[in-house]
Amino acid sequence: MDKWVVAVKLNLRKIVLILADLLIIGITDIVTAWALPMVSGYLGHNYILGYRELFVAIGFNMIFCFLSLWTFGAYSIMWRYAKVRDYTSCLFGVLLGSFISIFVLNAMNFEHIIIPKGYILICAMEEVISICLFRVAFRKAFLSVAKSERKMMKKRVMIIGAGRACKMILKEIENAESDPNNNARIYNPVCIVDDDIAKQHKKVENVPVVGTTRDILEVSKNYDIDVIIFAIPSCREEIRKRIIERCSETKCDIKIVPYLGEVFLENDKNSIMTHVKDIKIEDLLGRDPITFDKQDVMNLIKGKVCMVTGAGGSIGSELVRQIVRYDPKLVVMVDIYENSLYEVQQELIMEHGDKAKIVALISSVRDFKKMSIIFNKYKPQIVFHAAAHKHVPLMETSPEEAVKNNIFGTFNVMHLAEFYNVEKFVMISTDKAVNPTNVMGATKRCCEMLAQYMAQQGSKTEFITTRFGNVLGSNGSVIPLFRRQIEAGKPVTVTHPDIIRYFMTIPEAVALVMQAAAIANGGEIFVLDMGSPVKILTLAENLIRMYGKIPYKDVEIKFSGLRPGEKLYEELLMDEEGLTSTSNKKIFIGKQIKVDKSKLISDLKCLKEYAEANDSEGTVDMLGKIVDTFHHQTNT
């Protein structure tokens, strides 16, 4: 189909040129015939043509000139790419056609018409000049239209910030015109907004500054913007959040420029546009990214055997990725789900090759004997325990499975860590463990109690707990679900309009875990300052806008009601824990809680009996006796 379209376009251009040439020849001959008597009288001749001679002469001249131009290839040349030599086809074509028409008319004495040679020569010169000038004009017009079409096809861009990053972007977009491999060529910067009053109504690289960030919505409409590039990489997080929220109210794609230092430090990527990324939902959290002392983590990991349980999960896999960067002796990856573990294994082999000191093992933390074999063979020195059932509604329907895996699976790994003299055992907990209203949260709170129980035994192993809120993009979290719903054209489902959550990114969560392990002495519950909580409804609305759609109009939002065990808000600390600061201003330590050892062990035995008997009701009741802050909420 595309070939036919191209063929039609080419034939149409030939027809236009042929008709234009015939029209030029006819008009030139007529104008010359009208002017010839005055010229010939001035030269002392008397060249006067009658109407019949004129039309016969013009007809023959048009026919032979057309045939001659065709013969010389004047209609086969791509005139938009024409060189000077290509115009000789017009010169020779017109001259030859004119001489042939003179010869034919005079030799055949057609109707006794004698055409003056001077007339034909004058016409030939004028025709050559006119036809060549027409092709020059045709070429310029074509290129102008083509350029306009390309410009129309480009994405209209508004840049936020008129500083150094803006200038670099504009320079690169300009330079990209001559580089077909540069992705920046698809952009057409049309305006800039900046809050600096001194920059208003001025131009940066010939692109005008047309307003401030308060005008983003209005400017995007007035200038028909397709893409917004946020080019203030060094601004404070609260300002970034405010501006991006305004951008998300438009229908535009939103992209963000990273810190310029990240660009300059990567020597293999000289193009700033290769670093301009789509805006991520975590940019709306409104707080600075968490930073940690990498040297502490290096001292903890380097040259040691590390074990990660649940290594195929969102947190576990990121733990493995980051641990590998600190030159461990070996990373033992344990998971029961073979597919996810295999994917992580292959990813690390692909990235690090033979330098990837990893071993992937299929095992359940419930299987004490198998886990014992693994501990005995590999002798891990640091254990990161991320294996757990985490899905709140599913654990409400199968509480005994949550207990078997989360509590007794954790107890197995803790016991083996102590037996094999592991240096540090780091357990992943959750904000749902604070005053839990669901089974999953209660089991994690019980695991926190176990960690403190083990720490109070005087063990050589340091038992540490890390607690954080929801992880953006993790398996089963709301953001991937919202994305799938939007992309499938389905309504976005939010459980409640007022539900709020604390959020952090997966790399932040893992960095917290590793930093906690580095600075821990045993028995602590490390808590991350996660900033202000975020309404899930706001996240959904902003994500819809980032897809260039309008919430409630283009994409419906439905409220499905709180799920079993779900509460409107999460807490990060229990009332009796208090807070102690650490060397990192974003990490705090909750005060240890004294655990009644004999009662805890006795209650755990009863809990195990209920769970192994698959007695759901008895399991939940016994869990409530162990975790006295557990107030089961079914939301039915």
Side-chain angles (χ1 to χ4, degrees):
M1 187 67 182
D2 291 339
K3 291 181 179 179
W4 282 104
V5 172
V6 172
V8 169
K9 286 183 176 180
L10 289 174
N11 288 328
L12 183 61
R13 289 172 193 166
K14 285 185 178 181
I15 292 170
V16 169
L17 282 174
I18 292 169
L19 292 176
D21 288 348
L22 293 175
L23 186 62
I24 288 171
I25 292 169
I27 293 175
T28 301
D29 289 355
I30 292 172
V31 171
T32 305
W34 173 77
L36 189 60
M38 291 182 289
V39 176
S40 61
Y42 177 76
L43 296 175
H45 302 286
N46 189 20
Y47 292 153
I48 302 175
L49 294 175
Y51 288 111
R52 188 180 63 163
E53 294 102 325
L54 177 62
F55 287 121
V56 170
I58 291 174
F60 270 77
N61 199 33
M62 290 173 67
I63 293 171
F64 287 114
C65 282
F66 160 66
L67 293 174
S68 184
L69 286 166
W70 185 284
T71 302
F72 278 97
Y75 302 116
S76 301
I77 295 170
M78 297 290 288
W79 288 101
R80 56 178 158 165
Y81 304 118
K83 306 296 184 184
V84 173
R85 65 177 179 271
D86 294 320
Y87 289 92
T88 59
S89 64
C90 299
L91 172 63
F92 293 134
V94 171
L95 290 177
L96 180 61
S98 299
F99 285 123
I100 291 173
S101 64
I102 292 173
F103 176 79
V104 171
L105 286 170
N106 290 338
M108 295 179 64
N109 196 20
F110 186 76
E111 295 189 7
H112 306 288
I113 297 175
I114 302 298
I115 303 298
K117 293 182 177 62
Y119 169 70
I120 292 297
L121 289 173
I122 293 172
C123 287
M125 288 187 293
E126 291 175 346
E127 287 161 4
V128 169
I129 295 171
S130 299
I131 288 174
C132 289
L133 287 175
F134 175 78
R135 276 160 171 71
V136 171
F138 179 83
R139 178 177 181 270
K140 288 186 175 180
F142 179 87
L143 292 177
S144 178
V145 170
K147 185 176 180 181
S148 179
E149 286 179 353
R150 288 197 303 269
K151 201 166 185 180
M152 290 290 290
M153 292 172 63
K154 290 183 178 182
K155 296 180 178 179
R156 295 174 62 81
V157 175
M158 172 170 65
I159 300 177
I160 299 177
R164 186 157 59 116
C166 173
K167 291 180 181 178
M168 292 174 68
I169 290 170
L170 292 175
K171 278 287 188 184
E172 181 160 346
I173 292 174
E174 180 183 354
N175 295 336
E177 290 295 328
S178 58
D179 183 1
N181 297 317
N182 194 324
N183 291 332
R185 72 186 188 281
I186 66 172
Y187 296 116
N188 175 30
V190 294
C191 63
I192 302 168
V193 297
D194 194 291
D195 285 335
D196 188 347
I197 301 300
K199 295 178 180 179
Q200 297 302 308
H201 310 299
K202 294 184 178 179
K203 291 185 177 182
V204 179
E205 301 297 334
N206 211 35
V207 178
V209 179
V210 298
T212 67
T213 56
R214 291 189 297 272
D215 308 315
I216 286 173
L217 188 58
E218 181 182 355
V219 170
S220 67
K221 290 179 180 178
N222 294 341
Y223 286 81
D224 194 22
I225 299 299
D226 300 309
V227 178
I228 298 175
I229 298 179
F230 184 88
I232 318 176
S234 58
C235 77
R236 297 196 308 272
E237 284 301 317
E238 62 269 20
I239 298 176
R240 179 191 301 258
K241 177 174 180 283
R242 171 177 57 79
I243 295 174
I244 291 176
E245 282 180 345
R246 285 179 181 163
C247 293
S248 68
E249 294 176 9
T250 70
K251 293 183 179 180
C252 306
D253 291 337
I254 307 169
K255 297 182 180 295
I256 188 166
V257 177
Y259 289 92
L260 294 183
E262 297 177 20
V263 179
F264 297 138
L265 290 175
E266 295 191 31
N267 297 324
D268 59 329
K269 294 180 179 179
N270 297 320
S271 168
I272 189 173
M273 292 302 291
T274 62
H275 298 263
V276 176
K277 304 299 183 184
D278 291 334
I279 194 74
K280 300 184 290 294
I281 197 73
E282 50 261 40
D283 290 312
L284 298 174
L285 297 185
R287 58 172 172 81
D288 294 326
I290 308 304
T291 57
F292 300 92
D293 188 341
K294 293 184 178 181
Q295 188 58 49
D296 284 348
V297 178
M298 175 66 79
N299 296 337
L300 173 72
I301 299 298
K302 187 174 183 178
K304 294 181 181 177
V305 178
C306 300
M307 175 186 285
V308 179
T309 66
S314 303
I315 298 297
S317 61
E318 181 64 21
L319 270 166
V320 174
R321 291 185 192 99
Q322 294 197 25
I323 290 171
V324 167
R325 298 170 191 165
Y326 291 97
D327 193 23
K329 182 178 180 180
L330 181 68
V331 181
V332 182
M333 304 186 299
V334 180
D335 203 296
I336 190 59
Y337 184 45
E338 61 187 58
N339 290 349
S340 59
L341 186 61
Y342 174 79
E343 288 176 3
V344 176
Q345 179 195 46
Q346 295 306 306
E347 175 193 329
L348 293 171
I349 291 174
M350 185 181 300
E351 182 176 351
H352 300 282
D354 296 336
K355 295 181 180 180
K357 304 168 186 176
I358 57 173
V359 58
L361 304 173
I362 300 297
S363 179
S364 170
V365 293
R366 299 186 190 185
D367 190 337
F368 183 83
K369 290 183 179 179
K370 176 64 183 291
M371 291 302 298
S372 179
I373 292 172
I374 294 173
F375 269 84
N376 184 52
K377 180 177 181 178
Y378 293 101
K379 304 292 193 301
Q381 295 161 279
I382 312 291
V383 173
F384 296 92
H385 180 56
H389 287 323
K390 305 178 182 72
H391 201 281
V392 171
L394 290 181
M395 294 307 98
E396 290 300 305
T397 57
S398 302
E400 62 278 5
E401 296 303 314
V403 167
K404 291 175 190 176
N405 194 69
N406 293 5
I407 296 177
F408 294 106
T410 298
F411 192 66
N412 286 342
V413 183
M414 284 181 173
H415 179 75
L416 291 168
E418 182 182 44
F419 183 80
Y420 285 97
N421 295 317
V422 169
E423 294 178 15
K424 294 193 177 189
F425 179 96
V426 185
M427 189 194 73
I428 311 299
S429 189
T430 169
D431 56 357
K432 293 177 177 62
V434 181
N435 298 322
T437 60
N438 53 68
V439 170
M440 193 282 284
T443 60
K444 297 300 283 185
R445 177 56 190 161
C446 189
C447 290
E448 292 182 355
M449 295 171 67
L450 283 173
Q452 297 202 330
Y453 163 75
M454 296 296 291
Q456 291 169 16
Q457 298 303 304
S459 171
K460 293 182 180 179
T461 303
E462 296 177 3
F463 291 90
I464 306 132
T465 298
T466 57
R467 183 193 293 160
F468 44 79
N470 296 271
V471 180
L472 283 169
S474 65
N475 297 330
S477 66
V478 296
I479 300 302
L481 173 62
F482 289 165
R483 289 187 187 276
R484 289 195 297 270
Q485 290 172 333
I486 295 169
E487 290 167 3
K490 304 291 185 181
V492 171
T493 55
V494 178
T495 57
H496 193 282
D498 297 323
I499 193 169
I500 61 173
R501 289 291 182 267
Y502 291 92
F503 281 99
M504 67 189 310
T505 65
I506 294 176
E508 283 179 328
V510 169
L512 166 66
V513 171
M514 298 178 72
Q515 182 74 5
I519 65 177
N521 296 312
E524 301 98 331
I525 297 178
F526 288 89
V527 182
L528 174 66
D529 177 6
M530 302 179 68
S532 302
V534 179
K535 288 185 71 171
I536 301 297
L537 178 60
T538 302
L539 282 182
E541 291 171 343
N542 287 330
L543 187 59
I544 291 169
R545 293 189 184 103
M546 288 178 185
Y547 274 85
K549 301 179 183 295
I550 302 174
Y552 309 105
K553 180 180 178 182
D554 298 327
V555 178
E556 186 180 357
I557 297 179
K558 289 186 175 180
F559 299 103
S560 58
L562 292 175
R563 300 173 298 178
E566 189 173 41
K567 53 185 177 180
L568 284 177
Y569 61 94
E570 304 290 0
E571 305 156 272
L572 288 179
L573 282 170
M574 300 180 68
D575 292 339
E576 66 269 30
E577 285 180 312
L579 283 176
T580 303
S581 61
T582 67
S583 56
N584 189 306
K585 64 180 181 179
K586 291 290 185 177
I587 301 177
F588 296 88
I589 300 175
K591 185 179 67 177
Q592 295 187 32
I593 302 170
K594 201 71 175 175
V595 177
D596 188 330
K597 303 172 186 177
S598 58
K599 182 178 184 303
L600 178 62
I601 297 301
S602 175
D603 289 343
L604 286 174
K605 288 180 180 178
C606 293
L607 180 63
K608 189 173 184 180
E609 292 175 1
Y610 282 118
E612 290 182 345
N614 295 314
D615 183 346
S616 297
E617 187 175 343
T619 298
V620 174
D621 288 342
M622 194 65 219
L623 192 58
K625 292 179 181 178
I626 297 174
V627 181
D628 54 9
T629 57
F630 177 33
H631 304 288
H632 198 209
Q633 181 177 319
T634 59
N635 296 325
T636 56

